[in-house]
Amino acid sequence: MQRSTADARDYRTSQLDVLEAESIHIIREVAAEFERPVLLFSGGKDSIVMLRLAEKAFWPARIPFPVMHVDTGHNFPEVIEYRDRRVAELGIRLVIASVQESIDKGRVVEETGRRASRNRLQTTTLLDAIEEHRYDAAFGGARRDEEKARAKERVFSFRDDFGQWDPKSQRPELWNLFNTRIRQGEHIRVFPLSNWTELDIWAYLKREKLEIPSIYFAHSRVVFERDGMLLADSPYSNRGDDEPAFETMVRYRTVGDMSCTGAVESSATGLDEVIGEIAATRITERGQTRADDRTSEAAMEDRKREGYF
């Protein structure tokens, strides 16, 4: 009997289905093997996808671990508003690790000068929070396509009892088998989105109809140019007299500290337009928008060795 077109079903598995299934498997593996996991949540697009995957991994139960944001105090207000609203909707506990508190306690020293940023100071705040709350696994939203140092990371990335990472001494991962053994004081960073691309993230946000902070879409904003990058004109950016501010249409590919996160000129006001721009670009996300990655050829790897995300 021949089926009608209306009765036909498409049972093929899409690329997003495969990536989703792999990530959910990883999240469930961590929940089963570790005692005190935490999900790092910045309100950015990657961690929004991570939250969605965690929802699906444990549905209809709630996500069984807290989320943590390392807050520099210099974040975009639109992102902070979104962060608080989203965790309230999901009914999960939000832990805020504050860079300002680390400065007040003398754990880190505020940078000075035109290019001062709190981005690097996050490392100490993150490691202190992991130790204080005794987290033994921390989910991150990093992807291998973001930056070459991140391409070296395993899905389960071991950190020693100082929170440090050694790219030359990593555990093998064969056939999706992960080594979860650690001693007291050590922990594992877990990256379920390792095999995703930026384009996959945007396609998933569209498929799942997920809300994202408004700064990801084109909007009029006062910016200034520094080293070929458009930075927001804010009290944290230390704009010089030779860096005139002007208003233009921009959007952000990534969110982070306002002092070092660049915008791109764009007219994309919807997901389809953003996806079109991402599909056409040949510049990596961090290469185009993160001033802190330009300080040296190995800037990200140096930070990761110290315990950065």
Side-chain angles (χ1 to χ4, degrees), residues 119-156:
N119 202 44
R120 189 165 190 143
L121 306 185
Q122 294 179 94
T123 301
T124 298
T125 305
L126 170 63
L127 295 179
D128 285 351
I130 288 174
E131 182 178 0
E132 177 188 350
H133 296 281
R134 294 182 289 113
Y135 294 131
D136 51 8
F139 290 105
R143 309 182 317 270
R144 291 194 176 107
D145 77 327
E146 284 183 71
E147 198 273 342
K148 56 189 177 183
R150 287 189 162 167
K152 297 180 181 179
E153 288 265 25
R154 296 286 195 265
V155 175
F156 278 51

Side-chain angles (χ1 to χ4, degrees), residues 188-204:
I188 299 287
R189 303 284 175 84
V190 186
F191 302 109
L193 304 181
S194 290
N195 294 328
W196 296 54
T197 66
E198 185 184 7
L199 200 55
D200 293 326
I201 294 294
W202 284 107
Y204 194 75

Side-chain angles (χ1 to χ4, degrees), residues 7-165:
D7 291 334
R9 299 285 190 276
D10 185 355
Y11 291 105
R12 289 176 298 180
T13 303
S14 72
Q15 178 184 347
L16 289 181
D17 291 332
V18 173
L19 291 170
E20 179 187 70
E22 179 189 56
S23 299
I24 287 175
H25 164 70
I26 293 166
I27 292 170
R28 288 173 174 166
E29 185 80 358
V30 170
E33 294 289 335
F34 291 87
E35 294 183 2
R36 298 179 66 85
V38 67
L39 191 153
L40 302 176
F41 181 65
S42 66
K45 63 184 186 307
D46 302 304
S47 56
I48 292 170
V49 168
M50 287 285 296
L51 265 188
R52 181 61 165 176
L53 294 167
E55 270 190 280
K56 288 193 172 187
F58 305 107
W59 182 264
R62 287 186 176 180
I63 298 172
F65 39 75
V67 299
M68 181 167 73
H69 182 212
V70 180
D71 190 344
T72 67
H74 293 173
N75 300 99
F76 291 92
E78 299 96 323
V79 179
I80 297 300
E81 185 276 330
Y82 174 89
R83 177 201 70 185
D84 294 342
R85 182 160 45 81
R86 187 67 182 128
V87 297
E89 289 170 355
L90 292 174
I92 51 179
R93 184 164 70 93
L94 170 65
V95 176
I96 297 178
S98 168
V99 172
Q100 182 61 55
E101 287 186 11
S102 297
I103 295 171
D104 294 342
K105 292 177 180 176
R107 293 285 297 150
V108 293
V109 178
E110 183 104 69
E111 295 180 0
T112 58
R114 179 177 291 193
R115 288 175 169 74
S117 168
R118 290 185 170 182
N119 202 44
R120 189 165 190 143
L121 306 185
Q122 294 179 94
T123 301
T124 298
T125 305
L126 170 63
L127 295 179
D128 285 351
I130 288 174
E131 182 178 0
E132 177 188 350
H133 296 281
R134 294 182 289 113
Y135 294 131
D136 51 8
F139 290 105
R143 309 182 317 270
R144 291 194 176 107
D145 77 327
E146 284 183 71
E147 198 273 342
K148 56 189 177 183
R150 287 189 162 167
K152 297 180 181 179
E153 288 265 25
R154 296 286 195 265
V155 175
F156 278 51
S157 188
F158 173 78
R159 297 296 196 274
D160 65 18
D161 47 5
F162 296 102
Q164 295 176 333
W165 172 66

